Amino acid sequence: MRKQIAAANWKMNLTYQQGEELLDSILKEEISLEKDQQVVFAVPFPYLIMAAEKLKGRKNYFGSAQNCSDKKSGAYTGEVSAEMLHSIHITHCVLGHSERREYFSEFNQALAHKAELCLEYNITPIFCCGEPLSIREVGAEEGFVEAQLKESLFHFSEDQIRKIVIAYEPIWAIGTGMTATTAQAQEMHAHIRFLLASKYSKNTADIIPILYGGSVKAGNAKELFSCPDVDGGLVGGASLVAADFCSIIRALK
Ligand code: PEP
């Protein structure tokens, strides 16, 4: 079975102490995960070592960065490299979140470099894609997402692409309370899997987890995750409330 993943994206929220408290409250629930289920916490850079320490020894729980540099190392003040993340035992990194694309001008080509560097340092990229409302309104969402995948990921070998997690996040649903319907989510996830199968193989398409993101909540997670091609969620707002995120973890297939 494909991996089923509940990934928390804290974004630029919480103080260090609040982050510790949130993580402790979730971990004290001792939610036991099936072999193929994983929980990922994408926390701000200064909290990564703390998160990695707390998650150490917890099977299938991982810490993640929310971004990394597209440069390997050197004179890039303020940047954090994939090698640095690897050196503190971070195993995952969110790439290409729509907020980074919009506010920090991250384009498909730079994201391709980021993904390459993550793979070089054994870090699983959680690659975000998704269309704005204006694109969905004219029915061009499939082509839009296809271009994002092609330009950032489709140069990878079959072995490399198998190490990537994809998160489909329609921008109009992020932080807005407007969730995609299960039909809309399933339709795009199936399309992404079709693209992966066409470029690589059905076997490969079948093992790559595709997460849904966009106002996932305790109340809608089960329904969204029940779609055959939805393999969990990337969760913003609801991941900041321990009880809600625990419910979302428990909603994994
Ligand atoms: C996100 O941060 O990726 C996200 C989907 O946010 P929210 O769950 O708040 O919509």
Side-chain angles (χ1 to χ4, degrees):
M1 180 160 164
R2 273 194 294 278
K3 287 195 175 69
Q4 305 292 310
I5 303 170
N9 177 15
W10 289 3
K11 311 193 188 196
M12 197 174 73
N13 291 301
L14 310 173
T15 61
Y16 184 88
Q17 291 74 17
Q18 289 167 334
E20 276 198 298
E21 271 171 40
L22 176 59
L23 210 44
D24 287 340
S25 317
I26 294 167
L27 295 178
K28 96 170 176 331
E29 292 296 311
E30 305 271 359
I31 303 175
S32 64
L33 302 171
E34 303 287 334
K35 183 164 72 55
D36 294 313
Q37 295 177 334
Q38 297 187 342
V39 176
V40 176
F41 294 92
V43 306
F45 286 130
Y47 310 170
L48 281 170
I49 291 178
M50 172 274 284
E53 272 300 308
K54 288 188 187 287
L55 298 172
K56 201 155 74 188
R58 302 240 177 195
K59 205 162 177 307
N60 293 358
Y61 282 81
F62 302 98
S64 171
Q66 299 175 10
N67 177 37
C68 71
S69 176
D70 62 339
K71 307 287 191 300
K72 196 161 179 148
S73 67
Y76 300 103
T77 303
E79 288 290 272
V80 173
S81 70
E83 184 179 21
M84 291 172 179
L85 297 175
H86 176 69
S87 73
I88 56 167
H89 312 294
I90 290 302
T91 52
H92 291 67
C93 183
V94 175
L95 293 181
H97 191 283
S98 66
E99 288 150 15
R100 298 224 46 98
R101 291 176 188 262
E102 182 178 352
Y103 307 133
F104 303 96
S105 306
E106 290 196 358
F107 299 116
N108 294 339
Q109 200 50 50
L111 292 169
H113 293 313
K114 292 184 184 206
E116 286 159 21
L117 287 164
C118 282
L119 291 183
E120 184 178 335
Y121 289 100
N122 250 331
I123 292 170
T124 302
I126 302 177
F127 179 83
C128 303
C129 56
E131 79 287 353
L133 189 57
S134 57
I135 293 288
R136 182 160 281 266
E137 278 172 347
V138 297
E141 64 275 12
E142 288 191 350
F144 187 91
V145 168
E146 185 170 340
Q148 291 179 319
L149 297 176
K150 279 189 170 158
E151 290 171 28
S152 296
L153 301 184
F154 279 12
H155 63 297
F156 284 127
S157 69
E158 191 148 4
D159 278 352
Q160 288 174 313
I161 200 83
R162 284 171 166 241
K163 296 179 178 146
I164 287 176
V165 172
I166 293 173
Y168 168 60
E169 301 206 301
I171 298 171
W172 45 273
I174 299 178
T176 59
M178 252 172 88
T179 316
T181 62
T182 48
Q184 286 171 323
Q186 170 55 28
E187 199 174 14
M188 182 60 87
H189 283 232
H191 181 63
I192 293 171
R193 215 174 294 288
F194 163 78
L195 295 171
L196 290 165
S198 309
K199 167 73 186 168
Y200 297 96
S201 65
K202 181 164 180 332
N203 272 355
T204 288
D206 280 344
I207 64 152
I208 295 178
I210 307 175
L211 315 186
Y212 168 79
S215 300
V216 175
K217 299 194 175 16
N220 62 18
K222 190 108 207 152
E223 199 187 345
L224 283 160
F225 299 172
S226 71
C227 297
D229 286 295
V230 176
D231 306 311
L234 178 56
V235 186
S239 74
L240 300 173
V241 179
D244 290 359
F245 193 59
C246 287
S247 298
I248 291 167
I249 298 172
R250 291 189 173 102
L252 287 173
K253 282 202 269 274

